[in-house]
Amino acid sequence: GKSKGTNMSRDGFPIDLVLVRHGESEGNLAQQLSKQGDDSLWTDDFQRRHTSRYRLTELGVEQAESAGAWIKSNIGQSFDRYYCSEYVRAMETASILNFENAQWLLEFFLREQDRGVLGSTSHMKREKNYKQLMEKKKYDAFYWTPPGGESVATACLRVEKFLTTLRSSCSGFRVLVVCHGNIMVGFRVRLERMSQVLYEDWQKGKSPKQKFHNCQILHYSRRNPETGRVGTSINWVRSICPWDTNLSSNEWRSINRPVFNNSDLYDMVSRVKPIVTHKKFRKIMKAKKRAQRDGHDSREAKRPRKEKDHHGHSGKRTQCERFQDTDGQDAHPPDPNLAKPEGEQAGGHYSPPQVRSRPLVDSDSDFLYSDDDDDDDDEVSPATTTTEVDTTEGEAVDEDNILFDLGEEGKRAVKTLRRQAVERKRSLRSVTPLPTPEDVS
């Protein structure tokens, strides 16, 4: 991307902002041994200790003494404002810098990045118990967030809040800050407007000069180191490792805050290959539809077919089929050419009318059905007790149309019942009556 060397409008910043990382701590040394496959320093007592309570090692104390001496020799003997993280290792480093008459302000915004479940956990255990989690960090270290912790991006927000404090209360001051490695990363990201792509490139660098070592010093300034002129914003920076200057660049460099045109943005975007596309989506949807169709055909093939009866019918029986003679055969097999009732023709569900005890009448006569013999005794007088179509209260009953309402099948079934009733009556008449008491006497 293109860069601008002109001043970025940041009125109110301190003239000199000096950041110092704490010296080597117990945690640094224990992790160093763990990376070599040895967790012997991770005792139960040490694992129970929160990372905020790590002390400096003997080497850490020496590093802090070297940092204090270098700052006094190359920057100044005193500062206008002193800030320090609340973590023990940072406070111990600040005290060892040994600035006379220093009044330190503890600032919890300067605490180290919260590593959540990975805090107080050795490198070996992280690789063993959180292997998949650690793999994800390699792909997106800037936004990657450990469970229960915070990402580098989130830690940068805390740095931004602290910078707001500096702009409002330390304009034109010389400020000394003791903090942590990832907080110093946050200062770089915010003060130099470092994008996530530039951050990733920086972190992938193998040179030790790109790292923040213990007691590393990062010196930001509004003062041009060549002319001594003080600008309105912080435009210069240098990085020093005081106890071994071979591990740092040590030279001033101007801060070039990048801006990007359309092509620059697209070049950065092109570094990320698309994974989910409409082409893949359509392919998956076609496969799903094909699977659903195949599954439907398979279910239809497995479904048992209903067997037809001797009339060639399957499923529910018709009204006429439910009227059977004594031999179990249909009294009148249904005529397939018969017209359906009016309600069923209209597409509705046909329900036979409810009946109750009233005269059953033939459509052609007022008399019940009788055989064609000439025996007067076999004739049945006008009907007095049989069945009638149930109607609502107050509705006149059209007896001539009752059988018609039942349909042709219903009329044949009723006539069959009548004939069977007449036959039963005849059989009863043929039985010899029992003698009465008068006959016996």
Side-chain angles (χ1 to χ4, degrees):
K2 298 180 181 179
S3 300
K4 290 185 178 180
T6 57
N7 288 347
M8 180 181 178
S9 180
R10 286 184 177 273
D11 297 334
F13 270 111
I15 293 178
D16 289 294
L17 175 60
V18 180
L19 310 175
V20 181
R21 187 190 176 193
H22 61 80
E24 183 187 72
S25 69
E26 296 174 299
N28 297 142
L29 187 59
Q31 290 290 24
Q32 181 179 340
L33 189 61
S34 181
K35 290 178 180 179
Q36 299 175 21
D38 187 348
D39 271 354
S40 58
L41 291 178
W42 288 87
T43 62
D44 292 341
D45 289 341
F46 185 66
Q47 292 185 59
R48 283 193 294 266
R49 174 173 288 183
H50 189 267
T51 58
S52 64
R53 301 179 64 81
Y54 288 164
R55 292 288 304 271
L56 296 184
T57 63
E58 300 88 340
L59 178 60
V61 172
E62 295 177 4
Q63 291 170 342
E65 292 172 347
S66 297
W70 192 95
I71 293 172
K72 293 171 186 175
S73 300
N74 295 275
I75 300 177
Q77 295 290 323
S78 64
F79 290 82
D80 300 305
R81 190 68 56 85
Y82 300 85
Y83 289 98
C84 182
S85 164
E86 289 186 331
Y87 281 17
V88 169
R89 55 188 181 274
M91 293 190 292
E92 188 172 3
T93 300
S95 65
I96 296 174
L97 293 178
N98 196 27
F99 280 93
E100 189 175 354
N101 300 321
Q103 299 294 311
W104 291 93
L105 298 176
L106 298 181
E107 179 58 75
F108 69 89
F109 282 149
L110 296 173
R111 70 187 184 276
E112 180 60 299
Q113 174 192 0
D114 189 347
R115 300 185 184 276
V117 298
L118 300 181
S120 300
T121 305
S122 70
H123 178 79
M124 289 180 62
K125 285 189 176 180
R126 290 179 185 177
E127 293 296 328
K128 178 181 178 181
N129 300 333
Y130 304 99
K131 185 175 182 179
Q132 185 176 4
L133 192 64
M134 299 302 293
E135 284 294 325
K136 289 184 177 180
K137 180 182 179 181
K138 297 178 182 179
Y139 295 104
D140 193 358
F142 189 71
Y143 292 113
W144 173 81
T145 305
E150 60 182 348
S151 64
V152 173
T154 305
C156 289
L157 299 179
R158 291 197 276 110
V159 171
E160 184 62 36
K161 290 183 178 181
F162 179 72
L163 290 175
T164 301
T165 300
L166 295 183
R167 284 193 292 266
S168 63
S169 61
C170 297
S171 177
F173 286 9
R174 301 175 70 186
V175 178
L176 178 63
V177 177
V178 179
C179 56
H180 306 268
N182 283 332
I183 296 302
M184 292 176 72
V185 169
F187 276 102
R188 278 208 65 184
V189 170
R190 297 307 302 140
L191 290 175
E192 301 178 33
R193 297 193 63 85
M194 182 180 293
S195 68
Q196 58 174 318
V197 175
L198 295 177
Y199 170 83
E200 291 173 0
D201 292 340
W202 171 39
Q203 292 297 306
K204 290 177 182 177
K206 302 298 183 181
S207 173
K209 295 182 179 181
Q210 294 180 282
K211 309 298 181 183
F212 287 140
H213 305 282
N214 292 115
C215 278
Q216 186 95 1
I217 298 170
L218 199 60
H219 182 191
Y220 286 99
S221 182
R222 289 166 50 185
R223 183 181 288 106
N224 187 321
E226 297 178 355
T227 64
R229 180 183 175 182
V230 176
T232 58
S233 61
I234 294 176
N235 283 320
W236 300 90
V237 64
R238 59 178 173 173
S239 180
I240 305 98
C241 180
W243 48 271
D244 187 353
T245 55
N246 292 322
L247 299 177
S248 55
S249 60
N250 309 313
E251 301 295 333
W252 285 102
R253 64 176 176 85
S254 61
I255 299 175
N256 296 318
R257 298 176 178 92
V259 293
F260 306 93
N261 59 30
N262 296 338
S263 297
D264 296 331
L265 292 179
Y266 193 77
D267 288 342
M268 289 191 293
V269 170
S270 299
R271 298 170 63 171
V272 181
K273 294 182 179 181
I275 298 176
V276 179
T277 63
H278 272 278
K279 182 178 180 180
K280 293 182 180 179
F281 176 83
R282 288 192 294 269
K283 184 177 180 181
I284 293 172
M285 292 305 296
K286 287 182 179 179
K288 288 171 66 69
K289 290 181 179 179
R290 185 164 54 250
Q292 291 174 353
R293 184 170 59 251
D294 294 344
H296 175 75
D297 295 343
S298 177
R299 289 193 298 272
E300 287 295 325
K302 294 179 180 179
R303 182 177 297 174
R305 296 187 178 182
K306 296 180 179 180
E307 295 183 0
K308 295 184 178 180
D309 56 21
H310 61 282
H311 295 296
H313 297 284
S314 62
K316 293 184 177 180
R317 302 173 64 195
T318 63
Q319 181 182 9
C320 183
E321 290 172 329
R322 288 195 292 269
F323 288 97
Q324 295 182 340
D325 58 14
T326 55
D327 295 332
Q329 300 297 325
D330 289 342
H332 295 279
D335 186 352
N337 297 320
L338 289 178
K340 294 183 178 179
E342 183 178 357
E344 191 170 349
Q345 289 176 348
H349 177 67
Y350 175 72
S351 299
Q354 302 293 325
V355 296
R356 69 168 184 249
S357 179
R358 273 293 301 274
L360 270 176
V361 226
D362 194 349
S363 59
D364 299 325
S365 168
D366 290 337
F367 293 91
L368 290 173
Y369 179 86
S370 65
D371 286 345
D372 292 335
D373 58 43
D374 295 330
D375 190 355
D376 292 339
D377 292 336
D378 291 337
E379 292 182 0
V380 181
S381 60
T384 56
T385 57
T386 179
T387 56
E388 173 203 347
V389 175
D390 188 14
T391 62
T392 56
E393 184 176 356
E395 218 176 13
V397 178
D398 185 358
E399 296 182 348
D400 292 339
N401 292 327
I402 291 175
L403 291 180
F404 175 80
D405 291 341
L406 290 176
E408 294 295 324
E409 296 179 2
K411 291 200 294 185
R412 285 197 298 270
V414 170
K415 289 180 180 180
T416 300
L417 292 176
R418 288 173 177 169
R419 184 172 62 251
Q420 293 174 354
V422 170
E423 292 174 355
R424 285 196 297 271
K425 185 175 180 181
R426 287 177 178 175
S427 64
L428 291 175
R429 288 180 178 179
S430 64
V431 177
T432 305
L434 295 174
T436 62
E438 292 78 6
D439 295 335
V440 173
S441 60

